[in-house]
mmCIF file of all heavy atoms in Angstrom:
data_model
loop_
_atom_site.group_PDB
_atom_site.id
_atom_site.type_symbol
_atom_site.label_atom_id
_atom_site.label_comp_id
_atom_site.label_asym_id
_atom_site.label_seq_id
_atom_site.Cartn_x
_atom_site.Cartn_y
_atom_site.Cartn_z
ATOM 1 N N GLU I 35 -67.556 32.542 1.149
ATOM 2 C CA GLU I 35 -68.916 32.173 0.740
ATOM 3 C C GLU I 35 -69.908 33.312 0.963
ATOM 4 O O GLU I 35 -70.850 33.513 0.177
ATOM 5 C CB GLU I 35 -69.362 30.917 1.501
ATOM 6 C CG GLU I 35 -68.506 29.683 1.232
ATOM 7 C CD GLU I 35 -68.477 29.308 -0.238
ATOM 8 O OE1 GLU I 35 -69.482 29.568 -0.929
ATOM 9 O OE2 GLU I 35 -67.446 28.783 -0.703
ATOM 10 N N ALA I 36 -69.709 34.076 2.049
ATOM 11 C CA ALA I 36 -70.613 35.192 2.309
ATOM 12 C C ALA I 36 -70.521 36.246 1.213
ATOM 13 O O ALA I 36 -71.532 36.866 0.837
ATOM 14 C CB ALA I 36 -70.302 35.813 3.672
ATOM 15 N N PHE I 37 -69.327 36.454 0.681
ATOM 16 C CA PHE I 37 -69.183 37.427 -0.401
ATOM 17 C C PHE I 37 -69.854 36.914 -1.669
ATOM 18 O O PHE I 37 -70.522 37.672 -2.391
ATOM 19 C CB PHE I 37 -67.700 37.715 -0.668
ATOM 20 C CG PHE I 37 -67.470 38.889 -1.567
ATOM 21 C CD1 PHE I 37 -67.231 40.143 -1.033
ATOM 22 C CD2 PHE I 37 -67.512 38.755 -2.947
ATOM 23 C CE1 PHE I 37 -67.035 41.245 -1.856
ATOM 24 C CE2 PHE I 37 -67.319 39.837 -3.781
ATOM 25 C CZ PHE I 37 -67.089 41.094 -3.239
ATOM 26 N N VAL I 38 -69.681 35.625 -1.952
ATOM 27 C CA VAL I 38 -70.332 35.032 -3.131
ATOM 28 C C VAL I 38 -71.842 35.200 -3.037
ATOM 29 O O VAL I 38 -72.509 35.600 -4.004
ATOM 30 C CB VAL I 38 -69.952 33.540 -3.250
ATOM 31 C CG1 VAL I 38 -70.797 32.854 -4.320
ATOM 32 C CG2 VAL I 38 -68.460 33.400 -3.564
ATOM 33 N N ALA I 39 -72.397 34.915 -1.853
ATOM 34 C CA ALA I 39 -73.847 35.047 -1.676
ATOM 35 C C ALA I 39 -74.290 36.490 -1.831
ATOM 36 O O ALA I 39 -75.334 36.781 -2.440
ATOM 37 C CB ALA I 39 -74.240 34.506 -0.303
ATOM 38 N N MET I 40 -73.517 37.428 -1.299
ATOM 39 C CA MET I 40 -73.878 38.831 -1.387
ATOM 40 C C MET I 40 -73.807 39.333 -2.827
ATOM 41 O O MET I 40 -74.661 40.092 -3.288
ATOM 42 C CB MET I 40 -72.928 39.660 -0.517
ATOM 43 C CG MET I 40 -73.195 41.142 -0.509
ATOM 44 S SD MET I 40 -71.854 42.038 0.296
ATOM 45 C CE MET I 40 -70.546 41.792 -0.917
ATOM 46 N N ALA I 41 -72.765 38.878 -3.571
ATOM 47 C CA ALA I 41 -72.597 39.328 -4.951
ATOM 48 C C ALA I 41 -73.597 38.686 -5.893
ATOM 49 O O ALA I 41 -73.885 39.220 -6.969
ATOM 50 C CB ALA I 41 -71.173 39.032 -5.417
ATOM 51 N N GLY I 42 -74.126 37.517 -5.518
ATOM 52 C CA GLY I 42 -75.080 36.837 -6.385
ATOM 53 C C GLY I 42 -74.447 36.248 -7.627
ATOM 54 O O GLY I 42 -75.119 36.071 -8.640
ATOM 55 N N ARG I 43 -73.139 35.955 -7.542
ATOM 56 C CA ARG I 43 -72.424 35.379 -8.686
ATOM 57 C C ARG I 43 -71.584 34.202 -8.198
ATOM 58 O O ARG I 43 -71.255 34.106 -7.020
ATOM 59 C CB ARG I 43 -71.499 36.407 -9.336
ATOM 60 C CG ARG I 43 -72.176 37.735 -9.652
ATOM 61 C CD ARG I 43 -71.222 38.667 -10.367
ATOM 62 N NE ARG I 43 -71.757 40.017 -10.481
ATOM 63 C CZ ARG I 43 -71.220 40.973 -11.198
ATOM 64 N NH1 ARG I 43 -70.127 40.730 -11.894
ATOM 65 N NH2 ARG I 43 -71.763 42.172 -11.253
ATOM 66 N N GLY I 44 -71.203 33.316 -9.096
ATOM 67 C CA GLY I 44 -70.364 32.194 -8.733
ATOM 68 C C GLY I 44 -68.926 32.637 -8.483
ATOM 69 O O GLY I 44 -68.486 33.678 -8.988
ATOM 70 N N ARG I 45 -68.163 31.837 -7.724
ATOM 71 C CA ARG I 45 -66.764 32.172 -7.453
ATOM 72 C C ARG I 45 -65.975 32.314 -8.740
ATOM 73 O O ARG I 45 -65.121 33.197 -8.875
ATOM 74 C CB ARG I 45 -66.104 31.097 -6.588
ATOM 75 C CG ARG I 45 -66.538 31.102 -5.134
ATOM 76 C CD ARG I 45 -65.753 30.090 -4.303
ATOM 77 N NE ARG I 45 -64.411 30.557 -3.988
ATOM 78 C CZ ARG I 45 -63.300 30.079 -4.527
ATOM 79 N NH1 ARG I 45 -63.348 29.103 -5.438
ATOM 80 N NH2 ARG I 45 -62.114 30.548 -4.172
ATOM 81 N N GLU I 46 -66.253 31.439 -9.714
ATOM 82 C CA GLU I 46 -65.506 31.457 -10.959
ATOM 83 C C GLU I 46 -65.706 32.771 -11.711
ATOM 84 O O GLU I 46 -64.821 33.239 -12.429
ATOM 85 C CB GLU I 46 -65.916 30.287 -11.854
ATOM 86 C CG GLU I 46 -65.600 28.907 -11.287
ATOM 87 C CD GLU I 46 -66.543 28.527 -10.138
ATOM 88 O OE1 GLU I 46 -67.602 29.182 -9.995
ATOM 89 O OE2 GLU I 46 -66.202 27.600 -9.377
#
Side-chain angles (χ1 to χ4, degrees):
E35 298 302 329
F37 191 95
V38 170
M40 180 190 69
R43 310 183 190 189
R45 287 185 77 252
E46 296 73 16

